[in-house]
Amino acid sequence: GENVEQHPSTLSVQEGDSAVIKCTYSDSASNYFPWYKQELGKGPQLIIDIRSNVGEKKDQRIAVTLNKTAKHFSLHITETQPEDSAVYFCAASIGAGNMLTFGGGTRLMVKP
Amino acid sequence: EADIYQTPRYLVIGTGKKITLECSQTMGHDKMYWYQQDPGMELHLIHYSYGVNSTEKGDLSSESTVSRIRTEHFPLTLESARPSHTSQYLCASSEFGQGAGRSGYTFGSGTRLTVV
């Protein structure tokens, strides 16, 4: 089955700096890669996703890149703000809406 | 507004009690999931359902059981709660589709269970 590895497990950055979280996946059939943000006391919320026919996707300060050959994808957050502090999960599936395999999570702390 | 609801948000209960964690969604999604989240963040799949009368165990062994009698409702039951069941429980739903807006999971806010 699919295995998703996520690094780093914790990340501390200064406000205004960029943050990068990386994930690798094992199943070359996976074609849908969402990212979730989980704030304290809440469930994970979808923040951005990418499909395998696209190499990069941006939404304001966040972007995701996908390298199908190397089987890895990354989340980039620019100009970080204290409200970006949260746990972030990457995931992969074969087809959007099918069962996701999640990475282990990254705790991002943005220091003011 | 389409959403997914979990109740209660917090529950403190004594050892040996029977409990049911409720999860309901208004989106008509066919697939629903229960995850157990440990303090170390990781999400562990304990049950899932692909539709009415369909339930399967997930990757993490759990003493809980689930039912799916209605599309919108996916309750999780512990017949006899133990301190080892103390955890955060997250419910999610999804719908297969490739079009815009039909992607990924929608999660509930979770139930924080403490068994004393």
Side-chain angles (χ1 to χ4, degrees):
Chain A
E2 175 69 283
N3 182 50
V4 177
E5 305 257 351
Q6 183 171 347
H7 299 280
S9 57
T10 60
L11 178 61
S12 182
V13 300
Q14 206 67 38
E15 183 178 358
D17 288 349
S18 294
V20 180
I21 303 170
K22 299 182 179 182
C23 290
T24 60
Y25 61 100
S26 61
D27 191 342
S28 56
S30 290
N31 58 6
Y32 176 67
F33 307 93
W35 286 86
Y36 290 83
K37 175 184 181 182
Q38 185 178 22
E39 297 176 327
L40 198 61
K42 297 183 179 180
Q45 299 286 308
L46 178 70
I47 56 171
I48 194 167
D49 57 12
I50 191 168
R51 287 168 170 79
S52 60
N53 58 348
V54 175
E56 183 176 0
K57 185 175 178 181
K58 287 183 179 179
D59 184 3
Q60 299 183 339
R61 294 186 297 108
I62 60 173
V64 57
T65 59
L66 171 65
N67 183 326
K68 286 189 294 182
T69 304
K71 288 190 280 189
H72 67 71
F73 56 113
S74 300
L75 177 72
H76 304 254
I77 306 174
T78 59
E79 300 173 27
T80 54
Q81 300 168 3
E83 52 264 39
D84 294 328
S85 296
V87 176
Y88 291 81
F89 292 97
C90 65
S93 68
I94 304 172
N98 282 335
M99 187 178 292
L100 290 168
T101 299
F102 286 91
T106 296
R107 191 177 302 277
L108 173 64
M109 292 168 283
V110 179
K111 294 179 286 186
Chain B
E1 180 181 326
D3 212 335
I4 183 164
Y5 305 95
Q6 286 187 247
T7 57
R9 287 295 312 277
Y10 303 93
L11 179 62
V12 180
I13 200 161
T15 297
K17 299 291 186 183
K18 178 180 178 179
I19 58 169
T20 296
L21 307 185
E22 300 288 349
C23 177
S24 294
Q25 50 101 359
T26 59
M27 296 168 283
H29 286 175
D30 49 1
K31 300 179 177 66
M32 297 188 75
Y33 314 85
W34 276 103
Y35 286 85
Q36 188 171 336
Q37 184 172 33
D38 57 30
M41 302 181 298
E42 196 161 349
L43 297 166
H44 301 283
L45 180 67
I46 50 175
H47 296 283
Y48 62 97
S49 167
Y50 283 169
V52 171
N53 294 326
S54 150
T55 61
E56 301 287 345
K57 289 187 180 295
D59 305 321
L60 181 69
S61 175
S62 173
E63 293 164 348
S64 59
T65 59
V66 292
S67 63
R68 190 88 183 276
I69 299 171
R70 302 196 317 265
T71 298
E72 63 271 21
H73 195 214
F74 191 41
L76 181 145
T77 298
L78 277 165
E79 289 294 333
S80 179
R82 293 209 299 267
S84 60
H85 296 139
T86 294
S87 190
Q88 165 94 329
Y89 292 85
L90 289 163
C91 181
S93 69
S94 70
E95 177 182 39
F96 180 78
Q98 299 292 332
R102 293 185 167 212
S103 52
Y105 288 8
T106 302
F107 280 91
S109 295
T111 294
R112 170 72 61 184
L113 173 66
T114 303
V115 184
V116 298

